[in-house]
Amino acid sequence: MKNKYVDIHNPVFFPAVVLLVVFMVVTIIVGEPMVVLFDSFKNFVTEKTGWLFILAVNVFIIFCLFLGFSKYGSVRLGGKDATPDFSTSAWFAMLFSAGMGIGLLFYGVAEPVSHYAKPPVAAPFSVESAQDAMNFTFLHWGIHAWAVYAVVALSLAFFAFNRNMPLTIRSVFYPILGDKIHGWMGDVIDVFSVMATIFGLATSLGVGVRQVSGGLHHVFDTPNNVWIQVALIAGITAIATISVISGVDKGVKILSEWNVRIAGLLLVFVLIFGPTLFVFKSFIQNMGVYLNELIEVSTWTEAFVNKGWQGDWTVFYWAWWISWSPFVGMFIARISKGRTIREFIFGVLLAPSVLTFFWMTTLGGSAIFLDMQDTLAGGNHEFAKAIVEDESTALFVFLEKFPLRMVGSILGILLVASFFVTSADSGSLVIDSITSGGKLNTPTAQRVFWATTEGAVAAVLLIGGGLTALQTATISTGLPFLVILTIMCYSLLKGVKKEYARDKQLTDDVDQKSYTNRLTKVIMKQLDKNKKP
Amino acid sequence: MKPLKKIGIFLDLSETDEFLLRYFKKMDDVFDFDSLTLVHFVALESDSADLASLSEQLPKPLEEVIEDEVMELVEKVFGAKKSSIHVKIALGGRLDGLIKWVDAEQFNLVVLGKKMKEYGTGVFSSKVIRLTDSDCLFVPEDAKTEFESIVLALDFSDYSQKVIRRGLNLAKNLSSKLLPVHIVKAGFQYFPYFKNQEKFQKNLRITAESSYKKVQKKTGLHEELICVEDTGNHISKSLYDTALKHKANLIVMGNKGKSDEDDLLVGSVTDRMISIDRKIPVLIVKKDQ
């Protein structure tokens, strides 16, 4: 279907829309029992398939390292002669901003303190649990997350730039399915990608709006309930929609650049007015512990003690990253043309991870440090308890310990809201691209449609079950997409192997000498002919 | 299977060109192709200053000079300038660009020559064979310009049906005899203590026969299957020896076998069939684009 107002790929667009509408209507109509259903479904998926997530994400890392270290690492995205569009430092910055979103603001303080207060293994509020807290946080936000993105981004980039295929998930399956990717199988894959992206995004938006609402409540004492949150979603989605309609891609670009700058400012602010020395010291120590315990922690499956901790945290994160992966992957793919696979793997795995670690140490680590200081001064972990009590206000409780706390909190709220706008806007771009068959310039109306839909899905999920519903949606769409990702690795390997073989054929010498002789002969013959008359 | 209508022939300005055109003319006589494109790839080294200064003295561009040279040869072989014959001179020395062009043209067949005298001069042809998606006919210099019997190398992979269909199409026009050949690969050399070798071979043969019957039904091929037992040699050697024994003039085979190794652009059997010392022309059938 293509005209002035719509340009969509019907077999992907309509099934995706129908599924979403059915989901939303059922959630609203059923109401309260849906929460119970969401909860039991989430428990079922995490309990029965949690191990699969743990295994798969580790496999993705091994796969990435294999590609990076193997001879295939020399394959260049975009062909042998492609050059990078961005300088390496700009590329690193963009990679970081791709993963830098609402999540880091929401969980930056909340997660480490939560692990410190309610640890899965050590005693609560102990030095051990503090170290473990940082370690688990690093695990969830470190190279595992980026390996998931790397697999998707590399596959998309490879098939788009080296094979000139449309930038959608189905293209990645060409080596396995061949021309069938243009048929129903490709449609099914793309529908799954759309669902995963929508629910991953809805989770982010839901989390973000909870934080904005929590922040407003904390600072201005406004009511903090689902309806305020829904109203906020409507308001912020409206702003996102306006930015989409006005067609100012520039506006969104400026906004996201400022997001990263303000986030950087927040980081520096906390670093300077917080326990500066502690941050530097513990950053090094945390990195060491992370590296040392990486294998043990990342393969830990709560096999002997099942407290259900992992399902709420690790498995949820893995599912979240997986459902985010088409979104982040597409962005990373677009900025990585001209990089070799080796550069790509190590760039994507390491650069953003290290920066995220620093962020987590500065915010969450400082919070734990401040709580320990309080306790030494005679307190009873009131600070940590206040943070853990409500994750959505964690950042604001933390900022109270700093000067200019009003300014800091308002800045925090604005930052989250602004991240919401940019995520909704760029998310709708990605979904729109998939549902239109890989096109990049689609009519604005479609992007407005998707921006609104994302807001609606987030709102419905919040009404129909709050955070549990968000997590359930993420985990249950993450599961089928996990399978797609695994097949993606195999497909990418097939494609890369062939590319390498072709590259080798193209670079080996062609017999030059005898050819040059023959060509000279032809030229001489012509010159002789000319001389004769 | 698409009929043979659009053909590309690679020429390299050597004596092989004339041979290749003469060989091909015989096919053209019966097929009467729609279009014949003579492709020449100018692979100039950037530092060959002598050549550059020479070509500067030319009264017209180098492309035209080469085109004239090629057309001269066409007149010599085909008698007159045929309107269906075009010349493509690929300047710039970019092999990947050339391959992209070849694939975009969607030739039904790409014909390449192989020199027997100068060792190591078949590099270019074998590169093209590996890189293109088009079916390729690889003709060794001095091959007989006859098409009396054609071997169809069958391994009952995805390619086998295409191989048979192409064979039937050729045989119909060239009135050749078709020889479907299957090499039974047991791999006994790896299991020297295997007791029931004969029974095992027999079973493999029965499996092959039944696979062959299925393909026969689908393609309408009537000839008896020639099953060659495993001698411990590489399949390509057994296949080549069988072709020699039956005095075959052409071998039609798939680009790859049953195992589709991504590291290889052509399968190991095909790879050896196009190697330097083999003297029978080979037609390589590729997967559909």
Side-chain angles (χ1 to χ4, degrees):
Chain A
M1 205 189 282
K2 186 181 165 76
N3 59 41
K4 202 172 145 196
Y5 303 104
V6 277
D7 181 5
I8 51 176
H9 186 57
N10 292 347
V12 177
F13 182 85
F14 288 111
V17 170
V18 167
L19 280 174
L20 283 171
V21 168
V22 167
F23 172 81
M24 288 195 278
V25 168
V26 168
T27 308
I28 294 286
I29 290 176
V30 175
E32 198 64 21
M34 251 342 233
V35 184
V36 184
L37 188 74
F38 278 144
D39 201 38
S40 53
F41 188 71
K42 187 191 119 198
N43 288 341
F44 177 81
V45 174
T46 48
E47 262 177 39
K48 308 295 176 201
T49 62
W51 62 274
L52 192 64
F53 279 96
I54 305 278
L55 174 71
V57 172
N58 282 304
V59 168
F60 296 152
I61 289 198
I62 295 170
F63 176 71
C64 284
L65 292 179
F66 163 74
L67 273 188
F69 281 114
S70 72
K71 60 183 178 185
Y72 308 120
S74 62
V75 171
R76 197 174 281 280
L77 297 171
K80 268 193 313 164
D81 304 315
T83 47
D85 292 339
F86 303 99
S87 71
T88 305
S89 52
W91 185 56
F92 281 166
M94 290 166 94
L95 283 177
F96 180 64
S97 66
M100 169 77 216
I102 293 168
L104 277 183
L105 284 165
F106 191 86
Y107 285 110
V109 174
E111 176 168 2
V113 176
S114 170
H115 298 338
Y116 163 66
K118 297 182 226 162
V121 275
F125 303 113
S126 62
V127 174
E128 212 186 345
S129 77
Q131 185 67 72
D132 280 358
M134 292 319 294
N135 202 19
F136 278 119
T137 310
F138 278 22
L139 170 74
H140 296 154
W141 294 85
I143 62 168
H144 286 76
W146 289 93
V148 172
Y149 297 154
V151 165
V152 179
L154 187 58
S155 308
L156 283 168
F158 179 78
F159 288 97
F161 301 140
N162 295 50
R163 293 291 157 80
N164 291 322
M165 300 184 77
L167 195 66
T168 75
I169 303 290
R170 69 168 80 196
S171 301
V172 176
F173 293 85
Y174 189 76
I176 299 175
L177 299 176
D179 287 331
K180 284 184 208 138
I181 60 160
H182 304 301
W184 66 269
M185 287 197 224
D187 295 336
V188 170
I189 291 170
D190 277 356
V191 169
F192 271 123
S193 328
V194 171
M195 300 308 278
T197 311
I198 291 244
F199 284 116
L201 207 57
T203 306
S204 285
L205 301 188
V207 158
V209 90
R210 281 182 71 223
Q211 196 175 13
V212 172
S213 161
L216 290 174
H217 170 71
H218 193 80
V219 180
F220 302 109
D221 206 26
T222 51
N224 184 13
N225 57 40
V226 168
W227 298 107
I228 292 289
Q229 289 167 10
V230 170
L232 281 170
I233 289 185
I236 305 176
T237 304
I239 298 172
T241 311
I242 292 168
S243 97
V244 172
I245 294 174
S246 58
V248 256
D249 282 342
K250 247 188 186 166
V252 175
K253 203 181 145 209
I254 292 168
L255 203 57
S256 39
E257 276 171 11
W258 275 102
N259 280 347
V260 176
R261 274 184 209 141
I262 296 173
L265 204 67
L266 186 68
L267 183 77
V268 173
F269 173 75
V270 172
L271 188 64
I272 292 173
F273 291 99
T276 316
L277 208 56
F278 165 79
V279 171
F280 287 123
K281 275 161 73 178
S282 65
F283 177 58
I284 298 168
Q285 182 171 324
N286 293 342
M287 290 277 280
V289 172
Y290 174 70
L291 286 177
N292 188 39
E293 295 186 2
L294 186 61
I295 294 175
E296 189 183 332
V297 174
S298 67
T299 53
W300 177 66
T301 55
E302 280 191 325
F304 296 107
V305 203
N306 192 354
K307 283 205 217 164
W309 182 89
Q310 196 164 39
D312 285 342
W313 290 101
T314 314
V315 175
F316 163 64
Y317 272 123
W318 288 177
W320 195 11
W321 304 151
I322 287 169
S323 56
W324 259 104
S325 62
F327 174 52
V328 181
M330 221 168 265
F331 174 74
I332 297 179
R334 281 163 74 177
I335 59 169
S336 301
K337 190 177 179 181
R339 303 275 160 195
T340 64
I341 288 185
R342 190 165 297 130
E343 278 174 334
F344 180 93
I345 293 284
F346 294 112
V348 173
L349 286 192
L350 300 182
S353 295
V354 171
L355 267 167
T356 309
F357 292 162
F358 192 70
W359 173 274
M360 287 295 185
T361 307
T362 310
L363 271 82
S366 298
I368 294 177
F369 178 80
L370 292 175
D371 181 69
M372 286 177 151
Q373 293 293 310
D374 274 4
T375 312
L376 285 179
N380 188 24
H381 303 291
E382 284 84 7
F383 183 57
K385 280 174 187 159
I387 288 177
V388 176
E389 195 189 313
D390 184 357
E391 285 168 342
S392 64
T393 55
L395 178 68
F396 309 108
V397 173
F398 173 69
L399 287 175
E400 273 182 6
K401 287 263 179 191
F402 289 81
L404 301 168
R405 57 183 201 188
M406 193 70 165
V407 179
S409 295
I410 293 172
L411 206 64
I413 295 170
L414 286 178
L415 195 54
V416 180
S418 166
F419 266 123
F420 186 120
V421 171
T422 52
S423 301
D425 191 65
S426 40
S428 60
L429 184 73
V430 167
I431 296 167
D432 194 27
S433 163
I434 302 175
T435 50
S436 66
K439 295 184 201 82
L440 289 177
N441 297 315
T442 47
T444 315
Q446 264 166 257
R447 285 175 62 185
V448 171
F449 171 78
W450 285 116
T452 323
T453 310
E454 283 153 24
V457 172
V460 166
L461 282 170
L462 277 178
I463 296 168
L467 189 65
T468 312
L470 294 174
Q471 290 185 339
T472 311
T474 310
I475 289 174
S476 43
T477 46
L479 186 63
F481 209 67
L482 176 76
V483 179
I484 292 183
L485 238 71
T486 313
I487 306 170
M488 201 180 266
C489 289
Y490 173 69
S491 189
L492 176 64
L493 186 63
K494 271 178 92 76
V496 168
K497 275 183 168 179
K498 202 160 186 186
E499 182 82 2
Y500 181 79
R502 281 184 76 94
D503 270 1
K504 233 179 135 203
Q505 278 297 324
L506 286 169
T507 46
D508 286 353
D509 288 331
V510 179
D511 28 317
Q512 273 291 342
K513 225 175 195 169
S514 61
Y515 175 74
T516 313
N517 288 339
R518 295 199 297 273
L519 195 60
T520 314
K521 230 188 262 173
V522 173
I523 295 174
M524 293 306 285
K525 192 173 137 193
Q526 180 71 30
L527 288 176
D528 283 349
K529 240 191 238 171
N530 276 4
K531 272 179 204 159
K532 269 174 202 164
Chain B
M1 169 127 302
K2 283 183 194 149
L4 292 176
K5 289 283 176 202
K6 192 175 177 189
I7 312 292
I9 304 183
F10 273 80
L11 302 178
D12 68 349
L13 301 179
S14 70
E15 302 82 50
T16 322
D17 290 359
E18 191 179 336
F19 159 77
L20 208 57
L21 288 183
R22 286 196 190 287
Y23 180 90
F24 197 74
K25 184 172 178 290
K26 187 131 179 188
M27 284 179 85
D28 187 48
D29 289 345
V30 288
F31 276 96
D32 200 22
F33 301 111
D34 285 355
S35 106
L36 207 58
T37 308
L38 306 176
V39 187
H40 177 74
F41 176 61
V42 184
L44 264 186
E45 262 173 348
S46 48
D47 55 322
S48 59
D50 299 348
L51 213 57
S53 69
L54 268 180
S55 48
E56 267 169 27
Q57 298 169 34
L58 286 169
K60 48 188 173 184
L62 183 61
E63 273 172 278
E64 283 178 33
V65 174
I66 300 173
E67 194 172 330
D68 289 350
E69 181 78 13
V70 172
M71 284 319 276
E72 208 174 279
L73 191 66
V74 169
E75 276 174 59
K76 191 175 161 193
V77 175
F78 287 84
K81 277 187 190 173
K82 283 177 76 171
S83 62
S84 58
I85 299 183
H86 320 282
V87 178
K88 158 85 180 179
I89 308 295
L91 278 172
R94 301 277 317 210
L95 185 54
D96 54 345
L98 177 76
I99 298 294
K100 259 187 204 145
W101 175 82
V102 169
D103 288 345
E105 284 289 301
Q106 299 195 315
F107 290 115
N108 302 126
L109 190 65
V110 168
V111 184
L112 298 122
K114 175 166 76 166
K115 291 187 187 54
M116 306 303 290
K117 286 165 203 151
E118 304 163 67
Y119 186 83
T121 49
V123 185
F124 177 74
S125 295
S126 78
K127 265 178 201 298
V128 174
I129 288 175
R130 276 161 230 271
L131 291 166
T132 182
D133 289 332
S134 315
D135 292 0
C136 293
L137 174 61
F138 198 34
V139 189
E141 200 178 27
D142 304 335
K144 273 187 204 158
T145 319
E146 285 167 2
F147 299 95
E148 270 158 30
S149 58
I150 299 174
V151 162
L152 306 178
L154 302 180
D155 62 352
F156 307 113
S157 66
D158 295 348
Y159 290 98
S160 291
Q161 274 197 46
K162 281 196 81 179
V163 167
I164 293 174
R165 295 224 159 90
R166 179 57 76 215
L168 285 168
N169 172 250
L170 289 172
K172 200 178 104 197
N173 288 287
L174 297 161
S175 35
S176 355
K177 192 179 141 205
L178 287 179
L179 304 164
V181 174
H182 174 70
I183 312 294
V184 177
K185 184 73 186 162
F188 289 122
Q189 69 269 38
Y190 306 118
F191 307 101
Y193 304 113
F194 196 84
K195 276 186 187 145
N196 257 332
Q197 292 208 359
E198 251 168 57
K199 196 178 158 200
F200 190 66
Q201 287 264 23
K202 207 178 139 196
N203 280 338
L204 284 178
R205 190 184 272 262
I206 290 168
T207 317
E209 293 282 358
S210 80
S211 308
Y212 182 62
K213 273 201 187 103
K214 272 184 213 153
V215 193
Q216 267 186 315
K217 244 185 216 165
K218 280 185 193 157
T219 55
L221 179 69
H222 300 297
E223 277 74 7
E224 190 95 345
L225 180 69
I226 302 169
C227 239
V228 180
E229 276 181 14
D230 188 10
T231 52
N233 286 325
H234 194 268
I235 297 179
S236 68
K237 173 94 171 86
S238 307
L239 181 62
Y240 187 68
D241 289 346
T242 312
L244 281 182
K245 198 173 116 194
H246 289 84
K247 300 206 169 70
N249 310 109
L250 177 67
I251 300 172
V252 184
M253 64 193 306
N255 187 41
K256 282 183 185 179
K258 277 191 169 165
S259 61
D260 184 0
E261 277 298 323
D262 299 299
D263 286 7
L264 303 173
L265 299 175
V266 300
S268 69
V269 180
T270 310
D271 191 62
R272 291 193 191 201
M273 289 309 287
I274 58 176
S275 69
I276 192 79
D277 54 332
R278 302 281 156 90
K279 289 173 184 139
I280 304 175
V282 181
L283 196 159
I284 299 162
V285 174
K286 302 238 174 177
K287 269 212 178 116
D288 286 318
Q289 294 106 47

